[in-house]
């Protein structure tokens, strides 16, 4: 029922040329498309049932001058013809009737699908366009303003009953084209009865939303679009959508209907009810954009978590770099002082001020319902600490970071101002050491994603709490080298506040608060040097090589709803993010520049981590008073 590989490729190029955002298929995992409805969705079923081609100006068995929105979705998701099943029949109403008396309605479409024994799975998208024929036929037949709301309720109940049958067959994700007005269609606008048509539309849309709410609350992801409002936006600003005439049907304009398809596609309407290929393309873009909208939300908590855990990790790395061990037997560098080997007496001062700056970054691959991203986070930290006794440190630190994440496939950006505080402590004996960090981060997030013709944005906040600890035992090994086992544990709890997007009112979402918990364990080996002279100054270095594992799987459910359909929560379950063992290497050094000033450089990177790795590097100065 497709339009062929060549035509589909051309359609995909047209969609890309009209600023369709990214490639949502990868994140959503759409592997099949099943379609129900009326002439907007029919790709040849009326021709098959009647045995006759559609009359001019329709082509390719579609109520269009070319492709319709089903072809658009097929091209957007890169689906072969075999992955598309279309039960839509031109003229179908929400019940068993059709504008053409010999053809079936929506109820028979669903019955035929159910009778086939087909089942729908997680990768199957269901697209439905139904209800317009109920309202338009009644409007042109003299529907009164008083009758319209009741008819809308009846049609909505019919549609909801049939949708329930589709859900019973396993449907998990449905995009449904509804409408709150019909007056954007030239035939309705010219009928003299547009008020009744709009009263029907409002009642129908509200009935759909209320009737579908129990299915949505039970976990079926239902994306109900308001085509009436889409048409109003197009009519108000046609140039933004690549259209020139949005009020007159192309078929009534000689210079349009006889022109090449590219000229025809500058008109919204083909015949007063149906759209041109250009109009259907806009509709397909809205549908795909709505379906992709929840997928970028998972990144927000992940980005905040990465920021605060990176802050905590940088403090642990710094403690490794400045660690003071008692001198080993025969250590020739003990007299050098405080650069990694403790002097024989107490420290010159118990108060230390330090600062460091650097950057951290990470990448995460896309998975079902979660768009991947790449994040870079420049940051700076200042701290103050005390050494009340040899080998013991306590400190406070403040960090500012400005992480910016780019979502994969052009799906948007997340930028944050992160303000982070930490308290930490460390104790080092002759061989045994232990460090602990308690860190808190407040994140002010700016979220943006592409709409169909404009950007959609939001501002929100979030918090992260991280508790990290590490311990080790270093043996005196070969001369100036020490090595031994280390182990650690990091727990992170991140919460992102709820918010409402701003932008195109058809596509804006209300997003509920969400969170993420993480528990990472690590074990491995540390190698470090005693102090050695470099340019007359003492230098020490360390290397950590650890195996790490995330003990929590990151599974959670995101809850959103479109601002036009607040009764329909969209529950998006996120599966496991991966709990496989991966590696990390950290390294650092400290150089005493003077008896009161030392420099540190430390960093680390993960490797072989399922879903993407992260890195960080920091350089700083420490001053004793």
């Amino acid at each position: 029922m497709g339009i062929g590989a060549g035509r589909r490729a051309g359609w995909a190029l047209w969609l890309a040329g009209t600023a369709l955002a990214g490639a949502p298929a990868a994140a959503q995992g759409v592997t099949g498309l099943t379609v129900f409805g009326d002439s907007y969705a029919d790709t040849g079923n009326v021709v098959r049932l009647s045995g006759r081609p559609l009359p001019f100006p329709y082509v390719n068995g579609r109520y269009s001058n070319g492709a319709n929105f089903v072809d658009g979705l097929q091209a957007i998701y890169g689906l072969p013809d075999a992955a598309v099943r279309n039960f839509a029949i031109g003229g179908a109403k929400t019940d068993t009737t059709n504008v053409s008396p010999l053809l079936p309605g929506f109820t028979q479409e669903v019955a035929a699908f159910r009778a086939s024994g087909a089942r729908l799975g997680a990768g199957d998208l269901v697209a439905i366009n139904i209800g317009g024929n109920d309202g338009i036929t009644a409007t042109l037949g003299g529907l009164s303003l008083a009758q319209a709301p009741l008819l809308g309720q009846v049609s909505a109940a019919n549609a909801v009953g049939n949708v329930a049958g589709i859900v019973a067959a396993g449907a998990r994700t449905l995009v449904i084209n509804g409408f709150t007005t019909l007056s954007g269609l030239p035939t309705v606008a010219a009928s003299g009865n547009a008020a009744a048509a709009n009263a029907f539309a409002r009642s129908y849309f509200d009935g759909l939303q209320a009737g579908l709410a129990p299915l949505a609350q039970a976990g079926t992801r239902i994306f109900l679009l308001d085509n009436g409002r889409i048409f109003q936006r197009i009519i108000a600003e046609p140039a933004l959508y690549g259209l020139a005439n949005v009020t007159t049907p192309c078929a009534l304009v000689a210079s349009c209907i006889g022109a090449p398809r590219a000229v025809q596609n500058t008109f919204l309407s083909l015949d007063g009810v149906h759209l041109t290929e250009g109009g259907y393309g806009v509709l397909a873009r809205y549908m795909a954009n709505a379906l992709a909208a929840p997928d970028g939300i998972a990144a927000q908590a992940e980005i905040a978590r990465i920021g605060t855990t990176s802050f905590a990790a940088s403090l642990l790395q710094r403690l490794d770099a400045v660690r003071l061990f008692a001198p080993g037997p025969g250590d020739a560098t003990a007299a050098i002082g405080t650069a990694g080997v403790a002097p024989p007496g107490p420290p010159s001062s118990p108060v230390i001020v330090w600062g460091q700056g650097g950057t951290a970054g990470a990448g995460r691959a896309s998975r079902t319902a979660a768009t991947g991203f790449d994040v870079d986070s420049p940051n700076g930290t200042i701290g103050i600490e005390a050494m009340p006794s040899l080998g013991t440190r306590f400190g406070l630190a403040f960090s500012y970071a400005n992480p910016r994440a780019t979502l994969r496939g052009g799906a948007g950006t997340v930028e944050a101002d992160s303000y982070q505080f930490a308290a930490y402590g460390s104790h080092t004996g002759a061989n045994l050491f232990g460090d602990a960090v308690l860190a808190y981060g407040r994140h002010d997030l700016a979220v943006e994603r592409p709409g169909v013709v404009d950007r959609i944005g939001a501002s929100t906040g979030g918090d992260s709490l991280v508790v990290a600890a590490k311990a080790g035992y270093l043996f005196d090994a070969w001369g100036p080298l020490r090595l031994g086992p280390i182990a650690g544990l990091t727990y992170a709890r991140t919460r992102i506040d709820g918010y409402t997007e701003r932008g195109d009112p058809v596509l804006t979402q209300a997003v509920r608060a969400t969170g993420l918990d993480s528990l990472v364990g690590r074990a491995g080996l540390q190698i470090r040097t005693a102090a050695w002279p470099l340019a007359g100054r003492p230098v020490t270095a360390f290397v950590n090589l650890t195996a790490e594992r995330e003990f929590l799987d990151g599974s959670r459910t995101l809850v959103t709803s479109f601002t036009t359909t607040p009764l329909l929560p969209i529950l998006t379950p996120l599966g496991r993010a991966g709990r496989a063992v991966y590696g990390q290497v950290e390294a650092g050094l400290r150089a005493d520049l003077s008896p009161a000033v030392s420099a540190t450089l430390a960093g680390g990177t993960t490797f072989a981590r399922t879903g993407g790795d992260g890195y960080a590097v920091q350089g700083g100065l420490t001053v004793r008073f």
Side-chain angles (χ1 to χ4, degrees):
M1 297 181 187
I3 55 177
R7 179 72 179 142
R8 187 166 63 250
W11 185 232
L13 288 173
W14 185 87
L15 288 165
T18 51
L20 174 66
Q28 293 168 218
V30 175
T31 57
L33 177 63
T34 302
V35 183
F36 301 89
D38 52 28
S39 53
Y40 272 42
D42 190 344
T43 54
N45 285 329
V46 164
V47 172
R48 178 178 57 81
L49 292 171
S50 67
R52 298 189 303 274
L54 297 178
F56 180 81
Y58 311 123
V59 299
N60 298 329
R62 292 150 173 79
Y63 292 82
S64 168
N65 63 327
N68 63 17
F69 81 80
V70 176
D71 303 310
L73 290 176
Q74 183 179 356
I76 289 169
Y77 295 113
L79 299 174
D81 290 347
V84 181
R85 296 178 292 187
N86 195 325
F87 296 86
I89 298 171
K93 297 182 180 181
T94 57
D95 54 14
T96 61
T97 63
N98 191 294
V99 172
S100 298
L102 298 180
L103 292 176
F106 187 27
T107 300
Q108 289 96 323
E109 295 175 16
V110 176
F113 167 69
R114 297 293 301 275
S116 72
R119 297 289 300 175
L120 297 166
D124 291 307
L125 171 64
V126 175
I128 301 172
N129 194 99
I130 199 67
N133 288 320
D134 298 51
I136 295 171
T137 302
T139 297
L140 300 181
L143 178 69
S144 71
L145 191 58
Q147 295 169 329
L150 179 58
L151 178 61
Q153 294 170 17
V154 171
S155 295
N158 291 336
V160 168
N162 285 314
V163 170
I166 299 170
V167 172
R172 300 184 187 180
T173 303
L174 302 92
V175 56
I176 302 174
N177 290 326
F179 43 85
T180 54
T181 68
L182 284 169
S183 56
L185 299 175
T187 295
V188 174
S191 69
N193 199 20
N198 288 340
F200 162 86
R202 183 76 256 182
S203 176
Y204 176 68
F205 191 85
D206 291 345
L208 277 180
Q209 186 180 178
L212 294 171
L215 297 174
Q217 293 162 1
T220 302
R221 302 172 77 233
I222 298 175
F223 297 78
L224 175 60
L225 290 181
D226 184 353
N227 283 4
R229 187 171 289 192
I230 292 173
F231 292 162
Q232 289 174 342
R233 279 218 69 189
I234 295 172
I235 291 169
E237 300 179 282
L240 292 179
Y241 296 87
L243 300 172
N245 190 319
V246 293
T247 57
T248 307
C250 175
L252 299 183
V253 179
S255 61
C256 177
I257 199 62
R261 186 173 295 162
V263 175
Q264 295 176 353
N265 287 342
T266 64
F267 281 63
L268 173 61
S269 175
L270 178 63
D271 60 5
V273 172
H274 303 98
L275 309 181
T276 64
E277 184 178 74
Y280 283 122
V282 172
L283 185 55
R285 290 158 57 198
Y286 265 97
M287 298 169 77
N289 191 285
L291 287 160
D295 292 1
I297 296 168
Q300 297 164 22
E302 182 82 358
I303 291 163
R305 182 190 66 83
I306 288 172
T308 306
T309 55
S310 294
F311 172 48
S314 73
L315 296 178
L316 292 176
Q317 290 168 2
R318 179 182 177 276
L319 290 173
D320 265 335
V322 301
R323 191 174 310 285
L324 301 176
F325 280 96
D331 188 345
T333 61
I336 292 177
T338 60
V341 177
S348 59
S349 170
V351 180
I352 298 170
V353 175
W354 60 273
Q356 64 184 25
T359 187
R364 295 292 183 266
S366 296
R367 65 185 197 273
T368 301
T371 303
F373 60 87
D374 296 289
V375 60
D376 293 299
S377 179
N379 58 81
T381 305
I382 57 174
I384 184 169
E385 63 186 32
M387 294 183 64
S389 63
L390 184 64
T392 301
R393 293 175 186 265
F394 295 102
L396 299 173
F398 167 76
S399 172
Y400 169 76
N402 181 217
R404 178 179 175 82
T406 301
L407 302 186
R408 302 279 173 89
T413 61
V414 180
E415 188 167 2
D417 291 306
S418 295
Y419 306 91
Q420 303 177 121
F421 305 86
Y424 61 90
S426 175
H427 181 74
T428 303
N431 299 94
L432 181 69
F433 68 87
D435 306 323
V437 175
L438 174 63
Y440 167 79
R442 177 63 188 177
H443 314 284
D444 296 327
L445 301 169
V447 182
E448 281 198 356
R449 64 182 181 87
V452 171
V453 295
D454 49 16
R455 302 291 292 182
I456 295 173
S459 299
T460 189
D463 300 271
S464 296
L465 180 68
V466 174
V467 181
K470 180 177 66 178
Y473 188 96
L474 300 189
F475 296 94
D476 300 322
W478 301 282
L481 293 181
R482 293 172 175 242
L483 66 89
I486 57 174
L489 200 64
T490 298
Y491 171 74
R493 177 183 174 90
T494 301
R495 296 294 179 264
I496 303 297
D497 302 333
Y499 61 91
T500 299
E501 294 176 331
R502 56 186 179 270
D504 188 331
V506 179
L507 294 172
T508 52
Q509 302 174 101
V511 180
R512 292 190 191 175
T514 185
L516 177 64
D517 292 293
S518 172
L519 181 63
V520 175
R522 59 182 56 88
L525 182 72
Q526 180 175 107
I527 303 173
R528 66 183 303 120
T529 68
W532 79 89
L534 179 65
R537 296 298 177 185
V539 176
T540 60
F542 76 92
V543 175
N544 296 335
L545 183 61
T546 54
E548 305 194 354
R549 182 182 179 187
E550 170 64 72
F551 291 105
L552 304 180
D553 62 14
S555 59
R556 51 196 166 116
T557 297
L558 305 177
V559 183
T560 62
S561 62
F562 285 95
T563 54
T564 54
T565 54
L567 300 183
L568 297 180
I570 298 170
L571 278 59
T572 303
L574 299 179
R576 293 172 55 172
R579 295 168 61 181
V581 175
Y582 58 93
Q584 176 166 269
V585 59
E586 299 172 297
L589 60 83
R590 165 181 165 164
D592 279 3
L593 307 180
S594 73
V597 179
S598 60
T600 56
L601 179 65
T605 181
T606 63
F607 57 92
R609 184 185 184 280
T610 301
D613 288 303
Y615 70 91
V617 61
Q618 304 283 338
L621 289 175
T622 298
V623 180
R624 289 175 174 271
F625 291 95

